[in-house]
Amino acid sequence: MGPGAAALLDIPAQAAARGIGQIEICHFHIPSTDAAYLGELKASLAASNIQCLTLLIDEGDLTHPSPQARQTDIETVRRWIAVAGELGAARVRVIAGKSAPDASGDMLRLSAQHLHELAQYAGDHGVRVVTENWFALLDRPAEVLHLLEALDGEVGLLLDFGNWTGERKYADLAQIARLAESTHAKANYDADGNLQTADYAHCLKICADAGFQGPHSLIFDSAGDEWTEIAKLRDFVLAAL
């Protein structure tokens, strides 16, 4: 992925001009964690009345087989949680684990232990931890349900439409949708760049049927102008609600 056409500091104003009130920021979008830059970014968000809904931490493995590497990853996640707090983000998304679940349940217990600790740390920074149905540990609904129920509300679920595919996609998403407090409403497109409307509508219906009341974060990852396509997705979602 190459550099974007706009600086991150300019995105809040561009979003506000299009009637968007919340954005999510990936950790790798932030070019500096110096206090001066974070202060500028926070001021940019405030000036445009934009809420950073979630800081997405796209690295780290709480179930890494190497204890040393795992601890390094945890320390990295903690640093980004502190950044989320500095920016006034409501949530921070942490990857639950990249290791596949094992028959003994050790990987799920290890993830739950570290997520519990990170949730407490995040709470001190005014941020809520959520995780996502993503990577090997949470590739199936049984593991998602087991982990989140073990954490008893300490950690929320960010439901991503695009992480699960194939024949099992809709049935699996339906099993966990009741726990979702936000989504990545990621759209799929055909080879000609056309929105796969039936798939998108089905995912939105799964959320509605589960009583979902949270925000849908619109994810566009195809050819075309991002703002134009995001506007089309917003219109589709609003019509479906």
Side-chain angles (χ1 to χ4, degrees):
M1 181 178 296
L8 179 57
L9 292 176
D10 297 331
I11 294 297
Q14 293 182 11
R18 292 165 173 83
I20 296 170
Q22 296 178 321
I23 64 172
E24 296 193 322
I25 302 174
C26 294
H27 85 277
F28 56 79
H29 289 149
I30 299 176
S32 171
T33 56
D34 289 346
Y37 181 84
L38 294 180
E40 286 186 81
L41 181 53
K42 185 175 182 179
S44 175
L45 290 163
S48 297
N49 197 28
I50 296 289
Q51 167 73 49
C52 178
L53 177 64
T54 314
L55 177 64
L56 306 168
I57 305 175
D58 274 21
E59 64 178 317
D61 182 3
L62 304 186
T63 59
H64 197 290
S66 163
Q68 182 177 2
R70 186 167 65 243
Q71 187 57 41
T72 297
D73 283 356
I74 290 169
E75 291 169 0
T76 298
V77 171
R78 285 170 64 93
R79 286 196 295 273
W80 283 109
I81 288 174
V83 169
E86 287 292 323
L87 294 177
R91 299 180 178 91
V92 59
R93 192 265 278 119
V94 178
I95 297 168
K98 298 179 180 179
S99 299
D102 55 318
S104 69
D106 285 347
M107 289 298 101
L108 284 168
R109 282 190 289 272
L110 185 62
S111 177
Q113 172 192 333
H114 292 311
L115 283 171
H116 164 73
E117 294 165 354
L118 290 169
Q120 291 187 319
Y121 178 76
D124 292 338
H125 291 269
V127 182
R128 175 165 171 76
V129 171
V130 295
T131 194
E132 188 175 332
N133 54 311
W134 196 22
F135 285 106
L137 188 70
L138 299 188
D139 186 50
R140 298 305 296 258
E143 284 72 32
V144 175
L145 295 171
H146 181 92
L147 179 66
L148 293 180
E149 289 169 1
L151 287 163
D152 195 25
E154 283 189 304
V155 172
L157 175 64
L158 191 167
L159 179 73
D160 192 299
F161 294 178
N163 287 346
W164 291 350
T165 60
E167 294 182 359
R168 67 181 180 94
K169 173 179 177 176
Y170 304 126
D172 283 3
L173 289 176
Q175 290 185 57
I176 65 171
R178 62 180 174 82
L179 296 179
E181 54 189 62
S182 64
T183 79
H184 278 168
K186 184 175 183 179
N188 290 321
Y189 295 81
D190 64 21
D192 296 322
N194 299 309
L195 173 65
Q196 295 184 344
T197 56
D199 172 76
Y200 207 42
H202 198 154
C203 292
L204 292 168
K205 186 175 186 302
I206 286 170
C207 293
D209 289 347
F212 176 76
Q213 297 291 320
H216 288 296
S217 290
L218 308 178
I219 309 294
F220 171 71
D221 185 18
S222 188
D225 176 73
E226 288 88 347
W227 289 121
T228 299
E229 297 304 322
I230 287 292
K232 292 178 182 178
L233 293 181
R234 178 175 60 183
D235 290 345
F236 187 95
V237 170
L238 290 174
L241 295 179

